[in-house]
Amino acid sequence: MNASSSSSSDVRPAEGYAGDVTPETAAAWLAGGQAVLVDVRTDAEREWVGYVPGAVPVAWKQWPGMAMNPDFDAALRAAVPPGGRVVLLCRSGVRSVAAAKRATELGIEAYNILEGFEGNADADGHRGNQGGWRRRGLPWKQN
């Protein structure tokens, strides 16, 4: 798929939001101006693990304690233009599902990015070896 096209086959059906997309599809949408990428990880995760250039940071839960971000709704609405599409990224694709459901409740066309930034943990409990935005060689930086 090139950055200026998308098809329904790029989207996997989901319950409660527009669907799930691969990291590659999300990156193409972002590059083509077809979606806003919102990173719902904590500030600490983005600082220490890495981040996607151009992503809007809007934590779903806040560190420490992982309390819900009371400003999530307002920050998400500010990040996504009316009628726009958002792709949501977290560490492994779990928090971003909850965020996609909330975005949908707010009237935003929302997609979860499968595998998240780091992917699932491997047999040794390490992330970054099985899928994820970073493992797939998509643009990212680290402070």
Side-chain angles (χ1 to χ4, degrees), residues 30 37 39 41-57 89 117-118 133-134 138-143:
L30 178 63
L37 193 156
D39 189 333
R41 295 175 299 151
T42 65
D43 293 342
E45 287 172 293
R46 286 188 303 275
E47 284 289 321
W48 294 102
V49 179
Y51 62 94
V52 177
V56 178
L89 180 74
F117 187 76
E118 294 183 83
W133 184 281
R134 190 173 61 182
L138 299 168
W140 70 284
K141 292 186 177 183
Q142 192 166 28
N143 289 335

CSV table of all heavy atoms in Angstrom, one decimal, residues 30 37 39 41-57 89 117-118 133-134 138-143:
chain,number,residue,atom,x,y,z
A,30,LEU,N,-0.2,7.9,8.4
A,30,LEU,CA,0.4,9.0,9.0
A,30,LEU,C,1.2,9.8,7.9
A,30,LEU,O,1.1,11.0,7.8
A,30,LEU,CB,1.3,8.6,10.1
A,30,LEU,CG,2.1,9.7,10.8
A,30,LEU,CD1,1.2,10.7,11.5
A,30,LEU,CD2,3.1,9.1,11.8
A,37,LEU,N,-1.5,10.2,14.4
A,37,LEU,CA,-1.1,9.1,15.3
A,37,LEU,C,-1.0,9.7,16.7
A,37,LEU,O,-0.3,10.7,16.9
A,37,LEU,CB,0.3,8.6,14.9
A,37,LEU,CG,0.7,7.3,15.5
A,37,LEU,CD1,1.7,6.5,14.7
A,37,LEU,CD2,1.3,7.4,16.9
A,39,ASP,N,0.0,8.6,20.5
A,39,ASP,CA,0.7,7.7,21.4
A,39,ASP,C,0.1,7.8,22.8
A,39,ASP,O,0.3,8.8,23.4
A,39,ASP,CB,2.2,8.0,21.4
A,39,ASP,CG,3.1,7.0,22.1
A,39,ASP,OD1,2.6,6.3,23.0
A,39,ASP,OD2,4.3,6.9,21.7
A,41,ARG,N,0.9,6.0,25.4
A,41,ARG,CA,1.8,5.5,26.5
A,41,ARG,C,2.1,6.7,27.4
A,41,ARG,O,1.9,7.8,27.1
A,41,ARG,CB,3.1,5.0,25.9
A,41,ARG,CG,2.9,3.7,25.0
A,41,ARG,CD,4.2,3.2,24.4
A,41,ARG,NE,4.7,4.3,23.5
A,41,ARG,CZ,6.0,4.5,23.2
A,41,ARG,NH1,6.9,3.7,23.8
A,41,ARG,NH2,6.4,5.4,22.4
A,42,THR,N,2.7,6.3,28.5
A,42,THR,CA,3.0,7.3,29.5
A,42,THR,C,4.2,8.2,29.0
A,42,THR,O,5.0,7.7,28.2
A,42,THR,CB,3.4,6.7,30.9
A,42,THR,OG1,4.6,5.9,30.7
A,42,THR,CG2,2.3,5.8,31.4
A,43,ASP,N,4.4,9.3,29.6
A,43,ASP,CA,5.6,10.2,29.3
A,43,ASP,C,6.9,9.4,29.6
A,43,ASP,O,7.8,9.5,28.8
A,43,ASP,CB,5.6,11.4,30.2
A,43,ASP,CG,4.4,12.4,29.8
A,43,ASP,OD1,3.8,12.2,28.7
A,43,ASP,OD2,4.2,13.3,30.7
A,44,ALA,N,6.9,8.6,30.7
A,44,ALA,CA,8.1,7.8,31.0
A,44,ALA,C,8.4,6.8,29.9
A,44,ALA,O,9.6,6.6,29.5
A,44,ALA,CB,7.9,7.1,32.3
A,45,GLU,N,7.4,6.1,29.4
A,45,GLU,CA,7.6,5.1,28.3
A,45,GLU,C,8.2,5.8,27.1
A,45,GLU,O,9.2,5.3,26.5
A,45,GLU,CB,6.3,4.4,28.0
A,45,GLU,CG,5.9,3.4,29.0
A,45,GLU,CD,4.5,2.9,28.7
A,45,GLU,OE1,3.5,3.7,28.7
A,45,GLU,OE2,4.4,1.7,28.4
A,46,ARG,N,7.6,6.9,26.7
A,46,ARG,CA,8.1,7.6,25.5
A,46,ARG,C,9.6,8.1,25.7
A,46,ARG,O,10.4,8.0,24.8
A,46,ARG,CB,7.2,8.8,25.1
A,46,ARG,CG,5.9,8.3,24.5
A,46,ARG,CD,5.1,9.4,24.0
A,46,ARG,NE,4.8,10.4,25.0
A,46,ARG,CZ,3.8,10.4,25.8
A,46,ARG,NH1,2.9,9.3,25.8
A,46,ARG,NH2,3.6,11.3,26.7
A,47,GLU,N,9.9,8.6,26.9
A,47,GLU,CA,11.2,9.2,27.2
A,47,GLU,C,12.3,8.1,27.2
A,47,GLU,O,13.3,8.3,26.6
A,47,GLU,CB,11.2,9.9,28.5
A,47,GLU,CG,10.6,11.2,28.5
A,47,GLU,CD,11.4,12.2,27.7
A,47,GLU,OE1,12.6,12.2,27.8
A,47,GLU,OE2,10.8,13.1,27.0
A,48,TRP,N,12.0,6.9,27.8
A,48,TRP,CA,13.0,5.9,28.0
A,48,TRP,C,13.0,4.9,26.9
A,48,TRP,O,14.1,4.3,26.6
A,48,TRP,CB,12.8,5.2,29.4
A,48,TRP,CG,13.0,6.2,30.5
A,48,TRP,CD1,12.1,6.9,31.2
A,48,TRP,CD2,14.3,6.7,30.9
A,48,TRP,NE1,12.7,7.7,32.1
A,48,TRP,CE2,14.1,7.6,32.0
A,48,TRP,CE3,15.6,6.4,30.6
A,48,TRP,CZ2,15.1,8.3,32.6
A,48,TRP,CZ3,16.6,7.1,31.2
A,48,TRP,CH2,16.4,8.0,32.2
A,49,VAL,N,11.9,4.5,26.3
A,49,VAL,CA,11.8,3.5,25.3
A,49,VAL,C,11.9,4.0,23.9
A,49,VAL,O,12.5,3.3,23.0
A,49,VAL,CB,10.5,2.6,25.5
A,49,VAL,CG1,10.5,1.5,24.5
A,49,VAL,CG2,10.5,2.1,26.9
A,50,GLY,N,11.4,5.1,23.6
A,50,GLY,CA,11.4,5.7,22.3
A,50,GLY,C,10.0,6.2,21.9
A,50,GLY,O,9.0,5.9,22.6
A,51,TYR,N,10.0,7.0,20.8
A,51,TYR,CA,8.7,7.5,20.3
A,51,TYR,C,8.7,7.6,18.8
A,51,TYR,O,9.8,7.5,18.2
A,51,TYR,CB,8.6,8.9,21.0
A,51,TYR,CG,9.6,9.9,20.6
A,51,TYR,CD1,9.4,10.8,19.5
A,51,TYR,CD2,10.8,10.0,21.3
A,51,TYR,CE1,10.4,11.7,19.1
A,51,TYR,CE2,11.8,10.9,20.9
A,51,TYR,CZ,11.6,11.7,19.8
A,51,TYR,OH,12.6,12.6,19.4
A,52,VAL,N,7.6,7.8,18.3
A,52,VAL,CA,7.4,8.0,16.8
A,52,VAL,C,7.4,9.5,16.5
A,52,VAL,O,6.5,10.2,17.0
A,52,VAL,CB,6.0,7.4,16.4
A,52,VAL,CG1,5.8,7.6,14.9
A,52,VAL,CG2,6.0,5.9,16.7
A,53,PRO,N,8.3,9.9,15.6
A,53,PRO,CA,8.3,11.4,15.2
A,53,PRO,C,6.9,11.7,14.6
A,53,PRO,O,6.4,10.9,13.8
A,53,PRO,CB,9.4,11.4,14.2
A,53,PRO,CG,10.3,10.3,14.5
A,53,PRO,CD,9.4,9.2,15.0
A,54,GLY,N,6.4,12.8,15.0
A,54,GLY,CA,5.1,13.3,14.5
A,54,GLY,C,3.9,12.8,15.3
A,54,GLY,O,2.8,13.2,15.0
A,55,ALA,N,4.1,11.8,16.2
A,55,ALA,CA,3.0,11.3,17.0
A,55,ALA,C,2.6,12.4,18.0
A,55,ALA,O,3.5,13.1,18.5
A,55,ALA,CB,3.3,10.0,17.7
A,56,VAL,N,1.4,12.4,18.4
A,56,VAL,CA,0.9,13.3,19.4
A,56,VAL,C,0.8,12.6,20.7
A,56,VAL,O,0.2,11.5,20.8
A,56,VAL,CB,-0.5,13.9,19.1
A,56,VAL,CG1,-1.0,14.8,20.2
A,56,VAL,CG2,-0.5,14.6,17.7
A,57,PRO,N,1.6,13.0,21.8
A,57,PRO,CA,1.5,12.3,23.0
A,57,PRO,C,0.3,12.6,23.9
A,57,PRO,O,0.1,13.8,24.2
A,57,PRO,CB,2.8,12.7,23.7
A,57,PRO,CG,3.1,14.1,23.2
A,57,PRO,CD,2.5,14.1,21.8
A,89,LEU,N,-1.5,4.2,19.5
A,89,LEU,CA,-0.4,3.4,19.7
A,89,LEU,C,-0.1,3.3,21.2
A,89,LEU,O,-0.1,4.3,21.9
A,89,LEU,CB,0.9,4.0,19.0
A,89,LEU,CG,2.2,3.3,19.2
A,89,LEU,CD1,2.2,2.0,18.3
A,89,LEU,CD2,3.3,4.2,18.7
A,117,PHE,N,4.1,-0.4,20.1
A,117,PHE,CA,5.4,0.1,19.9
A,117,PHE,C,6.5,-1.0,20.0
A,117,PHE,O,7.4,-1.1,19.3
A,117,PHE,CB,5.7,1.3,20.8
A,117,PHE,CG,7.0,2.0,20.4
A,117,PHE,CD1,7.1,2.8,19.3
A,117,PHE,CD2,8.2,1.8,21.2
A,117,PHE,CE1,8.3,3.5,19.0
A,117,PHE,CE2,9.4,2.4,20.9
A,117,PHE,CZ,9.4,3.3,19.8
A,118,GLU,N,6.3,-1.8,21.1
A,118,GLU,CA,7.3,-2.8,21.4
A,118,GLU,C,6.9,-4.2,21.1
A,118,GLU,O,7.8,-5.1,21.2
A,118,GLU,CB,7.6,-2.7,22.9
A,118,GLU,CG,8.3,-1.4,23.3
A,118,GLU,CD,8.6,-1.5,24.8
A,118,GLU,OE1,9.7,-2.0,25.1
A,118,GLU,OE2,7.9,-1.0,25.6
A,133,TRP,N,6.0,-1.6,16.3
A,133,TRP,CA,6.4,-0.5,15.5
A,133,TRP,C,7.9,-0.5,15.3
A,133,TRP,O,8.4,-0.5,14.2
A,133,TRP,CB,5.9,0.8,16.1
A,133,TRP,CG,6.2,2.0,15.3
A,133,TRP,CD1,7.3,2.7,15.1
A,133,TRP,CD2,5.2,2.7,14.4
A,133,TRP,NE1,7.2,3.7,14.3
A,133,TRP,CE2,5.9,3.8,13.8
A,133,TRP,CE3,3.9,2.5,14.1
A,133,TRP,CZ2,5.3,4.7,13.0
A,133,TRP,CZ3,3.3,3.4,13.3
A,133,TRP,CH2,4.0,4.4,12.7
A,134,ARG,N,8.6,-0.5,16.4
A,134,ARG,CA,10.1,-0.4,16.4
A,134,ARG,C,10.7,-1.6,15.7
A,134,ARG,O,11.6,-1.4,14.8
A,134,ARG,CB,10.6,-0.3,17.8
A,134,ARG,CG,12.0,0.1,18.0
A,134,ARG,CD,12.3,0.3,19.4
A,134,ARG,NE,12.1,-0.9,20.2
A,134,ARG,CZ,12.3,-0.9,21.5
A,134,ARG,NH1,12.7,0.2,22.2
A,134,ARG,NH2,12.1,-2.0,22.2
A,138,LEU,N,10.0,0.8,11.4
A,138,LEU,CA,9.3,2.1,11.1
A,138,LEU,C,10.0,3.2,11.8
A,138,LEU,O,10.7,3.0,12.8
A,138,LEU,CB,7.8,1.9,11.5
A,138,LEU,CG,7.1,0.8,10.7
A,138,LEU,CD1,5.7,0.5,11.3
A,138,LEU,CD2,7.0,1.2,9.2
A,139,PRO,N,9.7,4.5,11.4
A,139,PRO,CA,10.4,5.6,12.0
A,139,PRO,C,10.2,5.7,13.5
A,139,PRO,O,9.0,5.7,14.0
A,139,PRO,CB,9.8,6.8,11.3
A,139,PRO,CG,9.3,6.3,10.0
A,139,PRO,CD,8.8,4.9,10.3
A,140,TRP,N,11.3,5.9,14.2
A,140,TRP,CA,11.2,6.1,15.7
A,140,TRP,C,12.5,6.8,16.1
A,140,TRP,O,13.5,6.7,15.4
A,140,TRP,CB,10.9,4.9,16.5
A,140,TRP,CG,12.0,3.8,16.5
A,140,TRP,CD1,12.3,3.0,15.5
A,140,TRP,CD2,12.9,3.6,17.6
A,140,TRP,NE1,13.4,2.2,15.9
A,140,TRP,CE2,13.7,2.5,17.2
A,140,TRP,CE3,13.0,4.1,18.9
A,140,TRP,CZ2,14.7,2.0,18.0
A,140,TRP,CZ3,14.0,3.5,19.7
A,140,TRP,CH2,14.8,2.5,19.3
A,141,LYS,N,12.5,7.4,17.3
A,141,LYS,CA,13.6,8.0,17.9
A,141,LYS,C,13.7,7.7,19.4
A,141,LYS,O,12.7,7.3,20.0
A,141,LYS,CB,13.6,9.5,17.7
A,141,LYS,CG,13.8,10.0,16.3
A,141,LYS,CD,13.9,11.5,16.2
A,141,LYS,CE,14.1,11.9,14.8
A,141,LYS,NZ,14.3,13.3,14.7
A,142,GLN,N,14.8,7.9,19.9
A,142,GLN,CA,15.0,7.7,21.4
A,142,GLN,C,15.8,8.8,21.9
A,142,GLN,O,16.8,9.3,21.3
A,142,GLN,CB,15.7,6.3,21.6
A,142,GLN,CG,15.7,5.9,23.0
A,142,GLN,CD,16.1,4.4,23.2
A,142,GLN,OE1,16.9,3.9,22.3
A,142,GLN,NE2,15.6,3.8,24.2
A,143,ASN,N,15.4,9.3,23.1
A,143,ASN,CA,16.2,10.4,23.7
A,143,ASN,C,17.4,9.9,24.4
A,143,ASN,O,17.6,8.8,24.7
A,143,ASN,CB,15.3,11.1,24.8
A,143,ASN,CG,14.2,11.9,24.1
A,143,ASN,OD1,14.3,12.3,22.9
A,143,ASN,ND2,13.1,12.1,24.8
